[in-house]
Amino acid sequence: MDFNKEQNIIGIRVLNDNVIWLWEKDKSVVVIDPALSQPVIDYLKANCLKLKAILQTHHHSDHIGGTKELLKEWPNIKVIASVKEKDRIPFQNLSVKDGDKFKILDEEVEVIEVIGHTKSHLAFYINNVSPVLFVGDTLFSAGCGRIFEGTHQQMYNSLQKIKSLPKNTLIYCAHEYTKSNLIWALNIEPENHNIKKKLIEVERKIALNELTIPFLLQEEMEINLFLRADNLKGFSYLRANKDLWV
Ligand SMILES: [Zn+2]
């Protein structure tokens, strides 16, 4: 079965640059990182959809902010989050850890812990013919998450985990940062034709008011300098450089 033909993943833009992902199948929906509740409630009601579960990648308020209100509307849903974050992700009722698998919308979802941005950050992987990864704030197109709580080594290791997934994995991150990431990457590698090409494509999508995500792991391997770094030292140099870049 081709995941993307059978099922839908819809992005709702909220706040400055967040994207809330809604994964829909047969009128049931799983929402990933609801920063806000109302846009999700409005969309589901307008389309006669029923919420089944919330996946939380990490505890930041622009990822869990809408969960409490969604639970008021749909009290019996599953809220799936890291067992290490019971204090900071308070409404979880299915606590998971690295390597756990659970079934939702008839699909098996694997939990991959990707520490770095926060001390326990999860990614959710659907190992289908067309694999999908909900990656939160760990990897962005042409960028990666800021390291707030983990170490550079942990973030580097997390990116290696993502790199080991099938190259046709479609990656859904939680922020629309692609254009500014590409401009930074061109500053580091001014002659990189893949990055230049991608920037033109992204500018075209933005002009049409389209999202620039999701993105394919295979394509990202050509333009994402963090994924391309072949050792910790190289990765750390890039991360420090990006942290200072305005
Ligand atoms: Zn975050």
Side-chain angles (χ1 to χ4, degrees):
M1 183 182 71
D2 184 328
F3 186 89
N4 300 303
K5 281 185 188 144
E6 297 286 328
Q7 327 195 32
N8 264 323
I9 299 176
I10 302 125
I12 300 180
R13 281 182 244 211
V14 296
L15 305 176
N16 284 339
D17 45 41
N18 278 74
V19 183
I20 303 173
W21 296 108
L22 306 182
W23 164 24
E24 186 220 323
K25 185 181 184 185
D26 299 331
K27 294 284 177 187
S28 290
V29 167
V30 174
V31 60
I32 295 91
D33 286 349
L36 303 173
S37 59
Q38 203 56 48
V40 176
I41 293 169
D42 291 347
Y43 185 88
L44 296 192
K45 293 205 163 164
N47 292 282
C48 303
L49 300 169
K50 197 176 164 203
L51 190 60
K52 286 278 176 187
I54 296 173
L55 306 183
Q56 312 268 216
T57 63
H58 65 295
H59 75 283
H60 285 157
S61 61
D62 60 332
H63 295 255
I64 67 169
T67 300
K68 187 178 177 183
E69 294 301 316
L70 290 173
L71 276 166
K72 283 187 187 162
E73 202 72 37
W74 290 279
N76 300 316
I77 61 168
K78 287 251 181 310
V79 179
I80 301 162
S82 170
V83 68
K84 295 180 185 172
E85 296 285 12
K86 281 188 171 172
D87 292 341
R88 299 197 294 181
I89 307 181
F91 300 105
Q92 58 177 291
N93 53 30
L94 178 59
S95 305
V96 294
K97 60 182 189 310
D98 187 47
D100 281 357
K101 291 177 180 172
F102 56 89
K103 211 155 193 180
I104 212 146
L105 302 185
D106 289 327
E107 293 284 339
E108 189 175 79
V109 179
E110 186 178 337
V111 178
I112 304 175
E113 191 174 48
V114 282
I115 304 172
H117 180 65
T118 56
K119 69 180 181 188
S120 176
H121 187 300
L122 302 181
F124 297 97
Y125 179 60
I126 304 158
N127 189 1
N128 198 284
V129 177
S130 309
V132 163
L133 184 72
F134 294 107
V135 79
D137 286 357
T138 297
L139 183 71
F140 301 114
S141 185
C144 76
R146 278 182 185 265
I147 300 169
F148 287 126
E149 296 179 355
T151 63
H152 282 217
Q153 179 77 64
Q154 285 171 326
M155 183 58 112
Y156 179 73
N157 294 348
S158 296
L159 296 186
Q160 303 316 299
K161 284 187 183 181
I162 294 169
K163 271 167 81 168
S164 72
L165 296 173
K167 294 294 176 279
N168 65 335
T169 301
L170 203 49
I171 299 176
Y172 291 77
C173 62
H175 290 274
E176 176 64 83
Y177 290 155
T178 314
K179 184 179 173 181
S180 63
N181 286 341
L182 287 166
I183 291 169
W184 166 79
L186 263 185
N187 194 46
I188 301 280
E189 287 191 11
E191 301 305 322
N192 188 317
H193 292 288
N194 289 321
I195 297 174
K196 284 184 192 172
K197 212 172 85 190
K198 178 77 177 179
L199 182 57
I200 292 168
E201 186 192 313
V202 159
E203 284 178 332
R204 192 180 302 134
K205 281 188 177 173
I206 291 169
L208 294 168
N209 203 26
E210 291 175 8
L211 285 169
T212 68
I213 41 183
F215 50 91
L216 265 182
L217 180 56
Q218 182 154 24
E219 190 187 41
E220 206 59 21
M221 294 300 298
E222 293 171 5
I223 61 154
N224 191 311
L225 303 185
F226 296 106
L227 281 183
R228 287 162 61 90
D230 45 19
N231 55 47
L232 176 62
K233 201 176 158 203
F235 169 79
S236 270
Y237 168 79
L238 291 167
R239 191 56 265 174
N241 184 291
K242 181 73 162 61
D243 286 345
L244 294 172
W245 191 78
V246 183

